[in-house]
Amino acid sequence: GRPNISWCDSHPVETLDANIVGQLNVAVACHARGLHATFLGTGALYSSDSAKPGASFSEGDLPTAKPNVYISLRIKMEELLAHFDNTLVLRVLYPLSSDLDPRGLLGKLARFERIDPVETSV
């Protein structure tokens, strides 16, 4: 999608504004009104390790993905949201949509001629 992680790396202030300031404002506004807030974040905080096949991750594990602006800010955002009793963070690796948008998971899968099993970190 757009913006993407490469864009975030070259626009750190704008990324911070959207991924920290904007989302914290939503969390605070919902908390003040006694409302629940669910936030979608990346599922790409963890990288698989070929030396440890079949290894899995838990919520308490430190992220292992190669650091970049977006990943660093997502980690900080989750740390900050942990102080709220009205929030939930869902980590999504491939976004779903109600159509076959070519950038979404369903759109990508619909275009594959063949799907092979591969190791993933999720």
Side-chain angles (χ1 to χ4, degrees):
R2 293 182 195 105
N4 57 32
I5 290 178
S6 295
W7 182 91
C8 294
D9 285 340
S10 61
H11 297 81
V13 173
E14 294 91 336
T15 302
L16 186 139
D17 186 44
N19 286 292
I20 300 286
V21 177
Q23 293 182 35
L24 278 179
N25 284 336
V26 170
V28 168
C30 288
H31 188 269
R33 291 162 180 80
L35 300 172
H36 171 81
T38 298
F39 295 90
L40 296 178
T42 184
L45 296 179
Y46 302 97
S47 298
S48 62
D49 183 350
S50 59
K52 300 177 185 175
S56 61
F57 300 99
S58 71
E59 291 298 310
D61 292 338
L62 294 175
T64 59
K66 181 181 173 186
N68 57 46
V69 169
Y70 179 76
I71 295 293
S72 298
L73 290 175
R74 286 311 311 172
I75 292 167
K76 182 55 66 182
M77 187 63 198
E78 289 191 19
E79 291 172 0
L80 293 169
L81 287 175
H83 297 283
F84 291 84
D85 62 0
N86 65 313
T87 63
L88 170 68
V89 175
L90 299 177
R91 295 179 181 159
V92 179
L93 190 56
Y94 297 106
L96 293 174
S97 62
S98 61
D99 59 12
L100 293 179
D101 184 301
R103 294 176 296 170
L105 176 61
L106 296 178
K108 288 179 181 183
L109 291 175
R111 292 191 322 271
F112 288 161
E113 292 180 21
R114 178 180 99 218
I115 298 176
D116 297 319
V118 296
E119 180 180 336
T120 180
S121 65
V122 183

XYZ file of all heavy atoms in Angstrom, residues 9-112:
785
model
N 10.537 5.240 6.117
C 11.961 5.446 6.395
C 12.446 6.811 5.919
O 13.319 7.411 6.537
C 12.804 4.355 5.743
C 12.709 3.027 6.482
O 12.317 3.032 7.671
O 13.038 1.994 5.880
N 11.866 7.312 4.841
C 12.293 8.620 4.332
C 11.416 9.769 4.842
O 11.687 10.935 4.535
C 12.320 8.611 2.796
O 11.039 8.356 2.279
N 10.383 9.449 5.619
C 9.486 10.462 6.193
C 9.220 10.149 7.673
O 8.083 9.904 8.082
C 8.156 10.498 5.429
C 8.282 10.895 4.008
N 8.657 10.019 3.017
C 8.112 12.096 3.419
C 8.690 10.665 1.865
N 8.366 11.929 2.080
N 10.257 10.160 8.508
C 10.075 9.752 9.904
C 9.141 10.654 10.709
O 8.402 10.167 11.556
C 11.496 9.746 10.476
C 12.286 10.630 9.564
C 11.656 10.516 8.212
N 9.161 11.963 10.458
C 8.302 12.870 11.230
C 6.831 12.617 10.899
O 5.985 12.539 11.791
C 8.692 14.345 10.984
C 7.698 15.285 11.658
C 10.100 14.598 11.504
N 6.524 12.473 9.613
C 5.149 12.202 9.204
C 4.680 10.851 9.732
O 3.527 10.680 10.133
C 5.020 12.233 7.678
C 5.250 13.595 7.071
C 6.714 13.842 6.677
O 7.635 13.206 7.249
O 6.942 14.691 5.798
N 5.589 9.882 9.753
C 5.261 8.549 10.266
C 4.985 8.612 11.762
O 4.027 8.009 12.256
C 6.407 7.570 9.966
O 6.631 7.550 8.546
C 6.071 6.173 10.440
N 5.799 9.370 12.487
C 5.577 9.543 13.918
C 4.238 10.231 14.170
O 3.488 9.832 15.063
C 6.719 10.357 14.523
C 6.665 10.486 16.037
C 8.051 10.347 16.611
C 6.039 11.773 16.465
N 3.923 11.222 13.364
C 2.663 11.941 13.531
C 1.468 11.009 13.371
O 0.534 11.025 14.173
C 2.587 13.093 12.519
C 1.368 13.967 12.740
O 1.077 14.301 13.907
O 0.709 14.313 11.747
N 1.496 10.162 12.368
C 0.370 9.251 12.122
C 0.362 8.062 13.074
O -0.693 7.668 13.574
C 0.417 8.751 10.680
N 1.540 7.488 13.328
C 1.598 6.236 14.069
C 1.780 6.376 15.572
O 1.635 5.398 16.298
C 2.703 5.343 13.504
C 2.308 4.740 12.184
O 1.421 3.903 12.121
N 2.941 5.183 11.113
N 2.083 7.546 16.041
C 2.176 7.766 17.487
C 1.169 8.842 17.902
O 0.211 8.576 18.616
C 3.604 8.184 17.917
C 4.628 7.108 17.566
C 3.631 8.514 19.408
C 4.607 5.883 18.449
N 1.354 10.055 17.424
C 0.512 11.173 17.848
C -0.954 10.913 17.526
O -1.826 11.009 18.395
C 0.996 12.501 17.209
C 0.071 13.643 17.585
C 2.428 12.803 17.637
N -1.248 10.586 16.288
C -2.637 10.380 15.883
C -3.307 9.249 16.638
O -4.445 9.391 17.125
N -2.620 8.132 16.766
C -3.226 6.989 17.438
C -3.346 7.206 18.948
O -4.316 6.756 19.561
C -2.444 5.716 17.117
C -2.591 5.348 15.645
C -1.888 4.069 15.289
O -1.836 3.136 16.074
N -1.341 4.017 14.089
N -2.386 7.900 19.543
C -2.514 8.213 20.970
C -3.684 9.159 21.215
O -4.389 9.030 22.218
C -1.225 8.820 21.522
C -0.132 7.843 21.900
C 1.091 8.594 22.420
C -0.610 6.838 22.932
N -3.896 10.092 20.306
C -5.055 10.984 20.439
C -6.358 10.180 20.428
O -7.283 10.469 21.200
C -5.062 12.029 19.326
C -4.042 13.124 19.564
O -3.644 13.391 20.684
N -3.620 13.756 18.481
N -6.442 9.182 19.566
C -7.634 8.330 19.523
C -7.778 7.559 20.837
O -8.865 7.493 21.426
C -7.582 7.357 18.324
C -8.695 6.317 18.408
C -7.664 8.132 17.013
N -6.681 6.981 21.329
C -6.724 6.225 22.582
C -7.168 7.105 23.744
O -8.001 6.704 24.570
C -5.358 5.604 22.880
N -6.636 8.313 23.823
C -6.979 9.239 24.907
C -8.448 9.656 24.803
O -9.177 9.672 25.802
C -6.052 10.472 24.886
C -6.564 11.572 25.809
C -4.637 10.069 25.279
N -8.898 10.003 23.592
C -10.292 10.428 23.408
C -11.255 9.304 23.776
O -12.279 9.540 24.437
C -10.522 10.882 21.965
N -10.940 8.084 23.377
C -11.808 6.946 23.724
C -11.784 6.681 25.220
O -12.831 6.413 25.829
C -11.378 5.700 22.946
S -11.775 5.774 21.194
N -10.620 6.761 25.833
C -10.506 6.526 27.275
C -11.342 7.540 28.052
O -12.038 7.195 29.004
C -9.037 6.594 27.695
C -8.807 6.183 29.108
N -8.828 7.077 30.145
C -8.576 4.966 29.647
C -8.609 6.433 31.278
N -8.453 5.143 30.995
N -11.281 8.794 27.640
C -12.027 9.855 28.321
C -13.536 9.639 28.244
O -14.276 10.103 29.113
C -11.670 11.220 27.715
N -13.969 8.923 27.210
C -15.406 8.680 27.021
C -15.834 7.269 27.426
O -16.970 6.878 27.214
C -15.761 8.928 25.553
C -15.670 10.391 25.172
C -15.582 10.591 23.662
N -15.498 12.010 23.312
C -14.382 12.728 23.373
N -13.248 12.187 23.781
N -14.404 14.006 23.043
N -14.894 6.514 27.996
C -15.209 5.154 28.425
C -15.431 4.196 27.263
O -16.170 3.210 27.400
N -14.788 4.467 26.132
C -14.954 3.638 24.947
C -13.739 2.748 24.718
O -12.613 3.107 25.055
C -15.149 4.518 23.702
C -16.353 5.454 23.719
C -16.301 6.393 22.520
C -17.635 4.642 23.726
N -13.975 1.609 24.111
C -12.898 0.696 23.712
C -12.319 1.162 22.382
O -13.032 1.696 21.542
C -13.447 -0.729 23.571
C -12.454 -1.666 22.966
N -11.458 -2.248 23.692
C -12.308 -2.085 21.686
C -10.731 -3.001 22.880
N -11.229 -2.917 21.658
N -11.029 0.951 22.173
C -10.387 1.267 20.897
C -9.514 0.087 20.479
O -8.704 -0.397 21.266
C -9.534 2.523 21.010
N -9.700 -0.386 19.261
C -8.868 -1.448 18.699
C -7.977 -0.836 17.632
O -8.445 -0.117 16.762
C -9.729 -2.565 18.083
O -10.524 -3.150 19.117
C -8.868 -3.640 17.445
N -6.691 -1.134 17.717
C -5.710 -0.610 16.778
C -5.133 -1.753 15.962
O -4.835 -2.817 16.491
C -4.571 0.103 17.529
C -5.038 1.324 18.257
C -5.489 1.235 19.568
C -5.037 2.556 17.635
C -5.938 2.354 20.236
C -5.482 3.690 18.301
C -5.927 3.587 19.603
N -4.977 -1.520 14.664
C -4.343 -2.493 13.783
C -2.897 -2.088 13.579
O -2.601 -0.933 13.268
C -5.053 -2.555 12.435
C -6.489 -3.028 12.460
C -7.079 -2.998 11.057
C -6.598 -4.420 13.056
N -2.011 -3.042 13.770
C -0.592 -2.800 13.560
C -0.007 -3.924 12.739
O -0.707 -4.859 12.346
N 1.268 -3.842 12.480
C 1.910 -4.837 11.640
C 2.162 -6.142 12.385
O 2.479 -6.148 13.570
C 3.236 -4.316 11.059
O 3.762 -5.299 10.172
C 4.258 -4.023 12.149
N 2.025 -7.234 11.662
C 2.389 -8.544 12.194
C 3.837 -8.875 11.882
O 4.324 -9.942 12.216
N 4.534 -7.954 11.229
C 5.908 -8.209 10.793
C 6.948 -7.740 11.805
O 8.012 -7.264 11.443
C 6.144 -7.541 9.442
N 6.643 -7.881 13.080
C 7.618 -7.518 14.115
C 8.616 -8.630 14.375
O 9.633 -8.419 15.023
C 6.899 -7.194 15.433
C 5.976 -5.984 15.429
C 5.329 -5.825 16.800
C 6.705 -4.728 15.030
N 8.319 -9.816 13.871
C 9.157 -10.984 14.130
C 9.646 -11.583 12.829
O 8.924 -11.643 11.846
C 8.367 -12.028 14.924
C 7.847 -11.477 16.223
C 6.551 -11.004 16.325
C 8.669 -11.395 17.332
C 6.077 -10.471 17.516
C 8.208 -10.863 18.526
C 6.911 -10.405 18.608
O 6.455 -9.871 19.779
N 10.886 -12.043 12.828
C 11.478 -12.702 11.666
C 11.796 -14.136 12.040
O 12.260 -14.408 13.148
C 12.769 -12.003 11.251
O 12.513 -10.685 10.873
N 11.540 -15.044 11.106
C 11.851 -16.445 11.375
C 13.361 -16.639 11.371
O 14.108 -15.870 10.773
C 11.184 -17.350 10.345
O 11.682 -17.062 9.070
N 13.801 -17.669 12.046
C 15.216 -17.997 12.138
C 15.387 -19.396 11.573
O 14.893 -20.368 12.156
C 15.670 -17.931 13.597
C 17.156 -18.196 13.783
O 17.825 -18.620 12.817
O 17.653 -17.984 14.904
N 16.079 -19.519 10.437
C 16.240 -20.831 9.804
C 17.005 -21.800 10.692
O 16.900 -23.010 10.526
C 16.931 -20.685 8.449
O 18.198 -20.089 8.609
N 17.752 -21.300 11.679
C 18.472 -22.175 12.611
C 17.527 -22.773 13.657
O 17.895 -23.702 14.363
C 19.590 -21.406 13.303
N 16.306 -22.221 13.755
C 15.313 -22.700 14.721
C 14.001 -22.998 13.998
O 13.005 -22.299 14.178
C 15.076 -21.654 15.805
C 16.298 -21.290 16.608
C 15.970 -20.197 17.607
C 17.211 -19.735 18.341
N 16.917 -18.601 19.212
N 13.989 -24.033 13.158
C 12.745 -24.330 12.423
C 11.598 -24.672 13.372
O 11.785 -25.347 14.374
C 13.117 -25.518 11.536
C 14.368 -26.075 12.120
C 15.035 -24.973 12.887
N 10.445 -24.147 13.067
C 9.266 -24.426 13.892
C 9.154 -23.559 15.128
O 8.205 -23.694 15.896
N 10.118 -22.672 15.355
C 10.061 -21.791 16.526
C 8.860 -20.859 16.398
O 8.487 -20.446 15.313
C 11.346 -20.986 16.650
N 8.250 -20.542 17.519
C 7.118 -19.623 17.514
C 7.413 -18.454 18.449
O 8.377 -18.475 19.200
C 5.834 -20.342 17.929
O 5.972 -20.856 19.240
N 6.562 -17.451 18.387
C 6.745 -16.253 19.191
C 5.528 -16.056 20.076
O 4.435 -16.481 19.761
C 6.906 -15.029 18.281
C 8.082 -15.125 17.359
C 7.904 -15.523 16.052
C 9.349 -14.833 17.794
C 8.975 -15.628 15.186
C 10.429 -14.924 16.948
C 10.242 -15.318 15.633
N 5.748 -15.375 21.203
C 4.644 -15.028 22.093
C 4.628 -13.512 22.262
O 5.580 -12.819 21.877
C 4.801 -15.708 23.451
O 5.864 -15.112 24.170
N 3.557 -12.998 22.844
C 3.431 -11.554 23.034
C 4.564 -10.975 23.886
O 4.896 -9.811 23.765
C 2.091 -11.228 23.691
C 0.906 -11.488 22.784
C 0.927 -10.627 21.544
O 1.092 -9.396 21.649
O 0.770 -11.183 20.455
N 5.146 -11.782 24.741
C 6.209 -11.289 25.610
C 7.582 -11.248 24.954
O 8.517 -10.684 25.513
N 7.726 -11.848 23.774
C 9.013 -11.862 23.094
C 9.339 -10.493 22.508
O 8.467 -9.803 21.995
C 9.015 -12.889 21.953
C 8.937 -14.317 22.455
O 9.300 -14.547 23.624
O 8.515 -15.193 21.677
N 10.594 -10.128 22.576
C 11.026 -8.884 21.946
C 10.983 -9.061 20.435
O 11.303 -10.136 19.923
C 12.443 -8.531 22.383
C 12.623 -8.177 23.862
C 14.096 -7.964 24.175
C 11.819 -6.930 24.202
N 10.609 -8.041 19.700
C 10.592 -8.131 18.234
C 11.975 -8.470 17.692
O 12.992 -8.032 18.229
C 10.150 -6.745 17.799
C 9.345 -6.245 18.952
C 10.045 -6.789 20.172
N 11.996 -9.250 16.617
C 13.251 -9.681 16.013
C 13.418 -9.167 14.585
O 14.416 -9.459 13.950
C 13.334 -11.217 15.994
O 12.223 -11.728 15.255
C 13.338 -11.786 17.398
N 12.447 -8.419 14.080
C 12.535 -7.896 12.712
C 13.645 -6.864 12.621
O 13.974 -6.187 13.604
C 11.205 -7.276 12.298
N 14.198 -6.739 11.421
C 15.224 -5.727 11.167
C 14.625 -4.348 11.462
O 13.589 -3.986 10.913
C 15.666 -5.819 9.715
C 16.734 -4.834 9.335
C 17.094 -4.988 7.870
C 18.033 -3.873 7.465
N 18.292 -3.903 6.016
N 15.272 -3.566 12.332
C 14.693 -2.275 12.716
C 14.657 -1.291 11.547
O 15.564 -1.231 10.736
C 15.606 -1.768 13.825
C 16.726 -2.706 13.948
C 16.515 -3.845 13.025
N 13.583 -0.526 11.490
C 13.442 0.586 10.565
C 12.521 1.587 11.261
O 12.078 1.351 12.384
C 12.911 0.134 9.200
C 11.587 -0.586 9.296
O 10.670 -0.147 9.988
N 11.460 -1.706 8.600
N 12.228 2.689 10.631
C 11.411 3.728 11.266
C 10.043 3.174 11.655
O 9.590 3.346 12.783
C 11.273 4.972 10.341
C 10.217 5.928 10.875
C 12.607 5.668 10.200
N 9.375 2.516 10.716
C 8.019 2.018 10.991
C 8.016 0.998 12.131
O 7.229 1.124 13.075
C 7.408 1.400 9.733
C 6.031 0.857 9.989
C 4.947 1.715 10.107
C 5.817 -0.511 10.155
C 3.677 1.229 10.378
C 4.551 -1.005 10.417
C 3.489 -0.125 10.521
O 2.240 -0.619 10.798
N 8.884 -0.001 12.077
C 8.932 -1.042 13.119
C 9.259 -0.410 14.468
O 8.630 -0.721 15.485
C 9.947 -2.142 12.753
C 9.503 -2.901 11.494
C 10.175 -3.083 13.922
C 8.255 -3.736 11.659
N 10.242 0.482 14.505
C 10.618 1.132 15.769
C 9.449 1.894 16.379
O 9.210 1.827 17.596
C 11.789 2.093 15.551
O 12.916 1.391 15.092
N 8.685 2.600 15.536
C 7.548 3.355 16.051
C 6.388 2.440 16.453
O 5.679 2.736 17.412
C 7.094 4.399 15.029
C 8.075 5.564 14.843
C 7.605 6.483 13.723
C 8.275 6.332 16.138
N 6.183 1.328 15.746
C 5.125 0.371 16.130
C 5.437 -0.221 17.505
O 4.548 -0.382 18.340
C 4.979 -0.757 15.107
C 4.325 -0.387 13.819
C 3.035 0.374 13.926
N 2.050 -0.174 14.825
C 0.924 0.422 15.173
N 0.634 1.606 14.698
N 0.086 -0.132 16.004
N 6.684 -0.542 17.740
C 7.093 -1.087 19.047
C 6.813 -0.051 20.137
O 6.233 -0.364 21.179
C 8.583 -1.495 19.020
C 8.774 -2.700 18.090
C 9.088 -1.792 20.433
C 10.220 -2.987 17.752
N 7.210 1.194 19.901
C 6.983 2.261 20.881
C 5.493 2.471 21.103
O 5.037 2.648 22.231
C 7.643 3.561 20.399
C 7.505 4.723 21.359
C 8.009 4.429 22.755
C 9.485 4.196 22.813
N 9.969 3.870 24.168
N 4.697 2.426 20.028
C 3.252 2.618 20.149
C 2.633 1.542 21.028
O 1.797 1.842 21.887
C 2.615 2.610 18.754
C 1.158 2.963 18.765
S 0.931 4.641 19.362
C -0.779 4.597 19.774
N 3.027 0.296 20.834
C 2.480 -0.782 21.665
C 2.885 -0.600 23.122
O 2.092 -0.871 24.027
C 2.908 -2.142 21.123
C 2.203 -2.485 19.822
C 2.390 -3.925 19.394
O 2.743 -4.765 20.236
O 2.154 -4.207 18.207
N 4.107 -0.125 23.364
C 4.539 0.155 24.735
C 3.658 1.225 25.367
O 3.256 1.116 26.527
C 6.004 0.602 24.760
C 6.987 -0.494 24.419
C 8.415 0.035 24.253
O 8.649 1.258 24.406
O 9.292 -0.788 23.943
N 3.358 2.274 24.613
C 2.529 3.364 25.133
C 1.084 2.920 25.345
O 0.458 3.273 26.349
C 2.590 4.568 24.187
C 3.958 5.255 24.095
C 3.978 6.245 22.939
C 4.308 5.935 25.407
N 0.537 2.150 24.423
C -0.851 1.701 24.558
C -1.044 0.742 25.732
O -2.154 0.589 26.231
C -1.327 1.041 23.260
C -1.599 1.994 22.103
C -1.950 1.214 20.848
C -2.692 2.990 22.446
N 0.021 0.123 26.190
C -0.080 -0.791 27.332
C -0.544 -0.068 28.596
O -1.037 -0.696 29.536
C 1.273 -1.469 27.580
N -0.439 1.247 28.630
C -0.878 2.035 29.786
C -2.389 2.287 29.796
O -2.915 2.790 30.777
C -0.130 3.371 29.839
C 1.346 3.208 30.021
N 1.925 2.902 31.226
C 2.362 3.282 29.125
C 3.225 2.796 31.089
N 3.519 3.030 29.816
N -3.058 1.954 28.714
C -4.503 2.164 28.605
C -5.243 0.870 28.901
O -4.825 -0.197 28.460
C -4.876 2.637 27.190
C -4.401 4.021 26.866
C -3.106 4.234 26.409
C -5.240 5.106 27.019
C -2.666 5.507 26.113
C -4.802 6.392 26.713
C -3.514 6.587 26.269
N -6.348 0.970 29.628
C -7.149 -0.222 29.929
C -8.294 -0.409 28.933
O -9.107 -1.309 29.082
C -7.704 -0.153 31.354
C -8.631 1.034 31.576
O -8.863 1.825 30.635
O -9.124 1.178 32.702
N -8.327 0.421 27.909
C -9.431 0.373 26.950
C -8.972 0.061 25.529
O -9.726 0.237 24.584
C -10.169 1.721 26.928
C -9.287 2.851 26.416
O -8.140 2.990 26.845
N -9.799 3.650 25.508
N -7.729 -0.409 25.374
C -7.221 -0.619 24.022
C -6.829 -2.066 23.772
O -6.501 -2.819 24.693
C -6.000 0.270 23.727
O -4.937 -0.089 24.615
C -6.332 1.737 23.861
N -6.862 -2.425 22.506
C -6.429 -3.741 22.027
C -5.648 -3.504 20.746
O -6.070 -2.721 19.886
C -7.639 -4.632 21.736
C -7.370 -5.950 21.004
C -6.588 -6.914 21.897
C -8.679 -6.565 20.554
N -4.498 -4.164 20.603
C -3.710 -4.061 19.376
C -3.774 -5.404 18.667
O -3.463 -6.441 19.250
C -2.234 -3.701 19.664
C -1.414 -3.716 18.378
C -2.138 -2.348 20.342
N -4.214 -5.370 17.426
C -4.225 -6.560 16.583
C -3.103 -6.420 15.570
O -2.977 -5.387 14.913
C -5.571 -6.702 15.858
C -6.787 -6.842 16.751
C -8.050 -6.894 15.893
C -6.680 -8.090 17.617
N -2.284 -7.453 15.457
C -1.186 -7.426 14.497
C -1.613 -8.170 13.236
O -1.931 -9.349 13.285
C 0.045 -8.078 15.095
C 0.591 -7.307 16.276
C 1.787 -8.005 16.836
N 2.306 -7.293 17.994
C 3.059 -7.859 18.899
N 3.372 -9.146 18.799
N 3.506 -7.161 19.913
N -1.576 -7.466 12.138
C -2.024 -8.010 10.862
C -0.827 -8.087 9.921
O -0.103 -7.106 9.757
C -3.111 -7.102 10.236
C -3.562 -7.637 8.895
C -4.277 -6.956 11.192
N -0.630 -9.249 9.314
C 0.471 -9.376 8.372
C 0.027 -8.990 6.963
O 0.692 -8.239 6.278
C 1.028 -10.798 8.373
C 2.324 -10.982 7.601
C 3.407 -10.052 8.088
C 2.786 -12.413 7.671
N -1.097 -9.503 6.540
C -1.635 -9.178 5.220
C -3.042 -8.630 5.404
O -3.923 -9.336 5.881
C -1.695 -10.412 4.332
C -0.343 -11.009 4.040
C 0.067 -12.183 4.639
C 0.526 -10.364 3.162
C 1.313 -12.732 4.365
C 1.771 -10.906 2.892
C 2.161 -12.087 3.489
O 3.388 -12.606 3.222
N -3.274 -7.367 5.031
C -4.606 -6.794 5.234
C -5.658 -7.457 4.352
O -5.378 -7.863 3.234
C -4.423 -5.330 4.853
C -3.181 -5.290 4.027
C -2.337 -6.441 4.430
N -6.855 -7.590 4.890
C -7.993 -8.118 4.145
C -8.932 -6.969 3.816
O -9.072 -6.031 4.581
C -8.751 -9.161 4.971
C -8.028 -10.456 5.258
C -8.853 -11.312 6.199
C -7.732 -11.210 3.981
N -9.574 -7.074 2.683
C -10.582 -6.096 2.321
C -11.759 -6.833 1.704
O -11.665 -8.024 1.400
C -10.021 -5.053 1.343
O -9.609 -5.670 0.149
N -12.852 -6.144 1.526
C -14.059 -6.790 1.018
C -14.031 -6.953 -0.499
O -14.947 -7.531 -1.067
C -15.297 -5.977 1.421
O -15.212 -4.677 0.862
N -12.993 -6.453 -1.137
C -12.883 -6.612 -2.583
C -11.593 -7.356 -2.921
O -10.917 -7.860 -2.046
C -12.914 -5.251 -3.277
C -11.780 -4.340 -2.807
O -10.856 -4.821 -2.122
O -11.810 -3.149 -3.117
N -11.271 -7.431 -4.178
C -10.045 -8.104 -4.604
C -8.961 -7.095 -4.955
O -8.232 -7.255 -5.923
C -10.337 -9.029 -5.795
C -11.227 -10.229 -5.483
C -11.466 -11.052 -6.741
C -10.630 -11.099 -4.395
N -8.832 -6.054 -4.120
C -7.792 -5.061 -4.333
C -6.461 -5.789 -4.508
O -6.118 -6.647 -3.705
C -7.727 -4.118 -3.123
C -6.734 -2.989 -3.324
O -5.533 -3.266 -3.538
O -7.157 -1.829 -3.262
N -5.695 -5.477 -5.539
C -4.456 -6.207 -5.805
C -3.402 -6.079 -4.716
O -2.483 -6.883 -4.652
C -3.955 -5.610 -7.129
C -4.661 -4.315 -7.284
C -5.963 -4.432 -6.541
N -3.543 -5.095 -3.812
C -2.579 -4.944 -2.727
C -2.975 -5.718 -1.478
O -2.175 -5.874 -0.564
C -2.400 -3.466 -2.385
C -1.755 -2.686 -3.525
C -1.678 -1.226 -3.206
N -3.036 -0.696 -3.089
C -3.335 0.492 -2.645
N -2.410 1.310 -2.255
N -4.590 0.886 -2.585
N -4.216 -6.207 -1.416
C -4.683 -6.951 -0.252
C -4.425 -8.447 -0.399
O -4.131 -8.949 -1.494
N -4.540 -9.171 0.693
C -4.262 -10.609 0.697
C -5.148 -11.363 -0.289
O -4.667 -12.168 -1.083
C -4.441 -11.185 2.103
C -4.272 -12.703 2.219
C -2.872 -13.125 1.797
C -4.578 -13.171 3.624
N -6.451 -11.128 -0.256
C -7.344 -11.862 -1.146
C -7.045 -11.573 -2.612
O -7.050 -12.482 -3.449
C -8.805 -11.542 -0.825
C -9.279 -11.966 0.568
C -10.731 -11.551 0.773
C -9.110 -13.454 0.768
N -6.769 -10.322 -2.936
C -6.426 -9.963 -4.304
C -5.146 -10.634 -4.764
O -5.044 -11.098 -5.903
N -4.167 -10.708 -3.873
C -2.904 -11.378 -4.219
C -3.125 -12.868 -4.415
O -2.639 -13.461 -5.379
C -1.855 -11.129 -3.129
C -1.344 -9.710 -3.120
C -0.339 -9.492 -2.015
C 0.117 -8.038 -2.029
N 1.125 -7.764 -1.038
N -3.850 -13.494 -3.483
C -4.085 -14.934 -3.597
C -4.883 -15.272 -4.856
O -4.632 -16.302 -5.498
C -4.820 -15.450 -2.359
C -4.006 -15.455 -1.060
C -4.897 -15.873 0.110
C -2.812 -16.377 -1.166
N -5.833 -14.433 -5.209
C -6.669 -14.703 -6.390
C -5.844 -14.682 -7.676
O -6.222 -15.335 -8.656
C -7.795 -13.673 -6.462
N -4.729 -13.977 -7.691
C -3.897 -13.901 -8.894
C -2.856 -15.006 -8.981
O -2.230 -15.191 -10.024
C -3.212 -12.537 -8.957
C -4.175 -11.399 -9.206
C -3.471 -10.082 -9.528
N -2.255 -9.815 -8.786
C -2.189 -9.182 -7.608
N -3.295 -8.755 -7.038
N -1.045 -8.963 -7.020
N -2.623 -15.750 -7.910
C -1.612 -16.815 -7.949
C -2.095 -17.983 -8.790
O -3.233 -18.413 -8.695
C -1.308 -17.334 -6.545
C -0.528 -16.388 -5.671
C -0.525 -16.560 -4.304
C 0.202 -15.332 -6.195
C 0.184 -15.704 -3.476
C 0.912 -14.471 -5.377
C 0.904 -14.666 -4.014
